[in-house]
Amino acid sequence: MTEKSTVPTPAGSVAIVAAHPDDEVLGCGGTAARLAAEGRAVHVLLMADGEGARTGRAAAGVAREKVAARGAAARRAGAILGCASVELLTFPDNRMDAVELLEVAQAVEAFVDRHRPSLVLTHHCGDLNVDHRIVHEAVSVACRPQPGHCVRELLFFEVPSSTEWRPRDAAAPFAPNWFVEISGTLQKKLDALDAYATELREFPHPRSPAAVRALAQWRGASAGFTAAEAFVLGRKLLPEAG
Ligand SMILES: [Zn+2]
C-alpha cells in the first residue's frame, strides 16, 4: 500500500499522521500540496480505518467494502495533493483508547523510521474525537527529541467538527500560532476532499466544501493571507548549521 519516493528532497521529508481517512485533507491538505509542489516528499499515515464503529460486526462484509473504498479514496486524495505515499493502518475506529498507547506509538515510530521526516503534522491535543487525541499522544511520544532524531518540527492541525468542540477546560484550546498560505493549493485541497465524497456534508455543516473554503479564508484573513491553514507549533528544534 506504500509507494516510496526516491526523489531527493530539499529540506527533508514531511510526515502527516492522522487518525481517519479525510482528516489529513481537512487538517493540512493545502499545506501538503504546497510542500509537495516545493519538492518535499510528503508521506501520509492514516491510523484507523474510519468505518469500524459505524457499521459494527453484523455488517462486517459491508464494513470491509467501505474500508476498501475509503482506502481507495485516501490514495486518490494523496495523488491529488502530490503526496509521495499514503499508508493505512487498521486500528479500531473511534476506539483507539482501547489500544495500548505504546502500540500506537510504535506504529508511528516505525513510519518515522522509514521516512525520516524533518516535519511532522498531526492532530491537536484538544479534539473531541478520542482517536485524534490518542494519535496526538502517540506522535508526541514517537517524535520526542533524542540525539540524532530526524524530527525537527512538530505542527498540530485543526479538524472541523472536532477541534472546536472539546469542552472548555478539558484541554488547551486550539490557539493557532503558525499559518501557511494556501491560496495556490486551496483548490487541490477541495479536489482531494471531493475524493472522499461520501464524507462530505451540505453547508452549513463544518465538513461541507463551502465551510472548508470559508475556514481557509478566515485563517488566511487572520494572518493577512488570501487563504491559509492554521496550526499550533508543538516544537521547533534548530540544530547547528551544517
Ligand atoms: Zn478524524
Side-chain angles (χ1 to χ4, degrees):
M1 205 163 276
T2 306
E3 298 164 26
K4 286 195 178 174
S5 167
T6 53
V7 179
T9 55
S13 65
V14 177
I16 301 169
V17 183
H20 313 111
D22 82 356
D23 288 336
E24 79 288 11
V25 179
L26 290 162
C28 60
T31 300
R34 176 173 164 175
L35 292 171
E38 289 171 357
R40 296 181 72 174
V42 179
H43 301 280
V44 178
L45 179 64
L46 303 170
M47 304 296 288
D49 58 33
E51 290 293 343
R54 281 185 232 188
T55 44
R57 278 187 215 151
V62 176
R64 270 196 300 277
E65 277 177 29
K66 285 190 170 182
V67 167
R70 289 195 84 178
R75 285 187 290 276
R76 270 202 311 279
I80 290 166
L81 298 176
C83 295
S85 72
V86 176
E87 191 172 335
L88 292 104
L89 301 183
T90 54
F91 284 101
D93 190 77
N94 278 303
R95 288 184 290 115
M96 285 185 68
D97 54 336
V99 182
E100 292 276 344
L101 179 63
L102 181 63
E103 194 182 327
V104 184
Q106 283 173 339
V108 177
E109 267 173 8
F111 179 76
V112 167
D113 283 350
R114 274 199 301 284
H115 297 298
R116 307 282 303 159
S118 58
L119 164 63
V120 176
L121 303 102
T122 192
H123 293 282
H124 184 245
C125 63
D127 278 21
L128 185 60
N129 186 284
V130 65
D131 295 347
H132 293 190
R133 298 200 299 274
I134 298 288
V135 170
H136 171 92
E137 288 284 322
V139 170
S140 299
V141 170
C143 298
R144 65 197 179 281
Q146 303 167 57
H149 199 273
C150 56
V151 178
R152 299 294 182 199
E153 203 173 341
L154 202 50
L155 291 174
F156 306 134
F157 52 67
E158 60 181 332
V159 175
S161 80
S162 187
T163 306
E164 70 273 37
W165 286 122
R166 189 91 199 272
R168 190 187 144 81
D169 299 334
F174 184 81
N177 56 6
W178 192 280
F179 296 80
V180 177
E181 153 77 77
I182 62 158
S183 58
T185 53
L186 175 56
Q187 190 55 51
K188 280 194 176 178
K189 172 173 178 147
L190 294 167
D191 291 346
L193 263 186
D194 202 43
Y196 290 108
T198 56
E199 298 304 310
L200 293 178
R201 302 286 180 266
E202 292 291 316
F203 187 80
H205 194 283
R207 283 167 178 258
S208 61
V212 169
R213 181 186 290 278
L215 178 63
Q217 289 171 329
W218 170 242
R219 292 308 192 191
S222 303
F225 301 145
T226 307
E229 283 169 339
F231 303 88
V232 169
L233 175 62
R235 182 182 305 135
K236 171 80 178 173
L237 306 179
L238 206 56
E240 205 173 8

